[in-house]
Amino acid sequence: LYDSVLDETQWTCALQALSDFTGGTGVGEVIANPVAGTITQCATLNIGPEFKDQYLGYYAAREVRLPPAVKFGVGVVMTEDMLVEQRELRCSEIYNDLLRPFDIPHFMFAWVRKSESKVQTIAIEGTLSHGAFDERAVAHFSKVMPHLIRAARMREHFVSVRDSQHAYREAMETLPFGIVVLDEKGQIIEATS
């Protein structure tokens, strides 16, 4: 997790390790802006890309598991049984037309971040043969949650810093004159082209 803070390419490996550690068969991450009602990022591992396309294109708006999850705090691990009755879930459109055909009817879910302008979730998925996630799986996910939350916040700060540095560099390059930044010994630290 912490390697992924500095190296974006490690985030996928971290999510895969999280899925393996908790006994999942797949994992999904969603970052959304609840004010705008938009999903800004969605990543899945070991789940077909068609699932993601269908989920984002249609089924996310018909999700029966997420509305009850709003009352839970950041870092609380939830399973579908905690959010919706099995009978209601199995009668839902999302279960019958998406989750079951893609064989990921079980999930374990937690908010990594939840604010007015941004929500981030991680969901560990399970196949029908895998069955519902048990207390042991929830305990494993719960152990990792503080680190997952911390790593996600650190990643966000680093992305913000990288974006700021990129904007600064672009602004400096547009000036009608050159800029040279020197250290205390007169060595060039940075210069515009």
Side-chain angles (χ1 to χ4, degrees), residues 28-58:
E29 175 191 31
V30 175
I31 300 174
N33 180 332
V35 174
T38 57
I39 294 174
T40 56
Q41 183 178 334
C42 181
T44 58
L45 293 170
N46 298 332
I47 300 170
E50 307 86 29
F51 172 86
K52 184 169 118 177
D53 294 341
Q54 290 182 32
Y55 184 80
L56 294 177
Y58 180 77

Side-chain angles (χ1 to χ4, degrees), residues 65 72 78-87 89-90 105-108 131-134:
R65 302 169 299 177
F72 290 90
M78 302 160 264
T79 63
E80 70 267 8
D81 292 336
M82 296 169 65
L83 303 174
V84 64
E85 290 184 25
Q86 280 299 310
R87 186 171 169 267
L89 177 62
R90 291 188 179 168
H106 301 288
F107 91 144
M108 187 169 49
F133 287 94
D134 59 17

Side-chain angles (χ1 to χ4, degrees), residues 94-134:
I94 191 171
Y95 181 86
N96 288 296
D97 297 346
L98 185 72
L99 301 176
R100 193 159 179 158
F102 279 93
D103 194 22
I104 50 171
H106 301 288
F107 91 144
M108 187 169 49
F109 164 88
W111 298 107
V112 176
R113 179 180 175 149
K114 191 166 84 166
S115 70
E116 289 183 13
S117 61
K118 183 176 184 177
V119 292
Q120 180 179 3
T121 64
I122 301 287
I124 308 297
E125 308 291 344
T127 62
L128 194 59
S129 63
H130 173 279
F133 287 94
D134 59 17

